Amino acid sequence: MSRDDVPVLTTHDASLRVRGRTLFAGLDLSVDAGELVAVLGPNGSGKTSLFRAILGLERLATGSIELLGEPARRGDRRIGYVPQQRIWPRGMPMLGRDLVMMGRTGARFGIPVAGRADREAVARAIWSVRAESLAHRPVGDLSGGEQQRLRIAQAIVDEPRLLLLDEPLSSLDLRNQGEIVELVDRLRESGTAVLFIAHDVNPILGSVGRIVYLAQGRHRVGTVDEVLTTESLSELYGTRVEVVRIDDATGSGPARVFVAGVPEHGHHHPAQDRDDDEVARLERSA
């Protein structure tokens, strides 16, 4: 089997338990180059913890995770990661290009010194997300969508084979959501595999290949039509869950999907709460 034939990401019988609670068990997943897999589920179901396991920051209870046929490890530069967005405050003087450079030099020991190769890599990443006009502006002066564009550039500065996006559309208006989805589609066209945690699947419905739905310590993996059904989600939750599809009025886009009756799932697990320092560290190491 050639390197091009090896899935970008593979999980074998993966199970994760945090403080005695099973988040998921027996997860088998294979993600190919250029594929977008949406990761859905209620708060606390293990979506971010799955990303942390892929990043080598959480130890599986059973099973394995492989990247391009090799065991996943912490600090693997072939994985790009965009954590849940936290807007940089007004007055933050860091320039856009410096934010992107952190993804290139932030994991180095000592005082990071950017060389020519680093500067060229940053320029390519900024160009790839169409953010040239943002490179020399303070990030504190940028909108949420503009900041998110630079955070994605930061995550892809090393041209990763796998991109993990944790609710990248959160707090963005419809226009900015559409621009981020278009950007992700361009990255997939270049062969990048994408795992995309979403609170609402509708903005990415036209791009999704498959869905991983986590709930109640269980999971479903399949296409939109296989997973987002009344029967599938009712079985997953153990109670009646209604899935309603509304066709696009113009006939030019995918139907919209609405899920009703999902039971309350309490609060976030403490293991999913991350402070600002840890977020910054993950951005540098992923």
Side-chain angles (χ1 to χ4, degrees), residues 6-60:
V6 176
V8 175
L9 176 71
T10 307
T11 70
H12 298 285
D13 192 31
S15 302
L16 183 63
R17 300 187 184 97
V18 177
R19 300 184 183 181
R21 185 167 71 92
T22 298
L23 297 180
F24 54 83
L27 177 60
D28 292 315
L29 178 66
S30 179
V31 183
D32 293 326
E35 185 176 8
L36 188 151
V37 176
V39 182
L40 308 179
N43 290 342
S45 61
K47 303 184 296 296
T48 296
S49 293
L50 172 60
F51 277 16
R52 288 174 58 84
I54 295 169
L55 291 165
L57 300 170
E58 295 280 359
R59 185 186 298 273
L60 292 176

Side-chain angles (χ1 to χ4, degrees), residues 2-283:
S2 70
R3 188 173 185 274
D4 291 338
D5 294 330
V6 176
V8 175
L9 176 71
T10 307
T11 70
H12 298 285
D13 192 31
S15 302
L16 183 63
R17 300 187 184 97
V18 177
R19 300 184 183 181
R21 185 167 71 92
T22 298
L23 297 180
F24 54 83
L27 177 60
D28 292 315
L29 178 66
S30 179
V31 183
D32 293 326
E35 185 176 8
L36 188 151
V37 176
V39 182
L40 308 179
N43 290 342
S45 61
K47 303 184 296 296
T48 296
S49 293
L50 172 60
F51 277 16
R52 288 174 58 84
I54 295 169
L55 291 165
L57 300 170
E58 295 280 359
R59 185 186 298 273
L60 292 176
T62 64
S64 63
I65 298 176
E66 294 182 350
L67 182 70
L68 295 168
E70 302 172 354
R73 63 182 186 276
R74 184 169 183 165
D76 195 321
R77 308 289 284 187
R78 296 173 298 176
I79 305 176
Y81 174 48
V82 180
Q84 293 179 22
Q85 186 176 21
R86 299 191 180 189
I87 301 297
W88 292 94
R90 297 289 297 179
M92 174 65 71
M94 180 189 302
L95 299 181
R97 66 182 180 186
D98 297 328
L99 176 63
V100 178
M101 182 65 75
M102 287 174 58
R104 180 77 175 184
T105 63
R108 296 179 185 172
F109 292 104
I111 299 175
V113 178
R116 178 178 178 179
D118 297 321
R119 292 190 295 271
E120 291 176 348
V122 167
R124 286 194 301 271
I126 290 174
W127 175 85
S128 69
V129 302
R130 308 298 191 265
E132 297 95 325
S133 64
L134 310 178
H136 300 283
R137 294 176 59 189
V139 295
D141 293 346
L142 304 178
S143 69
E146 291 170 333
Q147 290 185 16
Q148 192 71 308
R149 190 174 291 272
L150 287 172
R151 288 162 68 90
I152 293 175
Q154 181 190 60
I156 65 171
V157 70
D158 281 326
E159 300 181 358
R161 297 294 303 277
L162 174 65
L163 182 60
L164 307 179
L165 301 174
D166 194 342
E167 297 197 19
L169 306 184
S170 177
S171 301
L172 300 184
D173 60 27
L174 291 177
R175 180 181 63 82
N176 279 306
Q177 286 185 4
E179 291 179 353
I180 295 299
V181 172
E182 289 178 5
L183 164 58
V184 171
D185 284 341
R186 289 199 301 271
L187 294 174
R188 293 195 302 111
E189 289 172 0
S190 68
T192 304
V194 179
L195 261 63
F196 194 119
I197 294 178
H199 176 71
D200 177 10
V201 72
N202 285 298
I204 58 172
L205 207 53
S207 303
V208 170
R210 283 177 298 150
I211 287 173
V212 175
Y213 202 112
L214 304 177
Q216 312 284 5
R218 300 189 293 271
H219 66 272
R220 291 287 185 275
V221 178
T223 65
V224 172
D225 290 338
E226 292 169 340
V227 174
L228 294 185
T229 69
T230 295
E231 293 75 15
S232 176
L233 293 190
S234 295
E235 181 181 354
L236 183 62
Y237 280 101
T239 189
R240 183 69 177 180
V241 174
E242 294 288 345
V243 178
V244 179
R245 295 171 183 258
I246 300 177
D247 292 333
D248 178 47
T250 67
S252 60
R256 292 180 61 81
V257 178
F258 298 92
V259 179
V262 171
E264 292 292 333
H265 191 74
H267 56 274
H268 283 282
H269 194 277
Q272 291 189 331
D273 293 333
R274 295 168 297 169
D275 59 26
D276 291 334
D277 291 338
E278 184 178 4
V279 170
R281 177 176 59 79
L282 293 179
E283 288 177 333

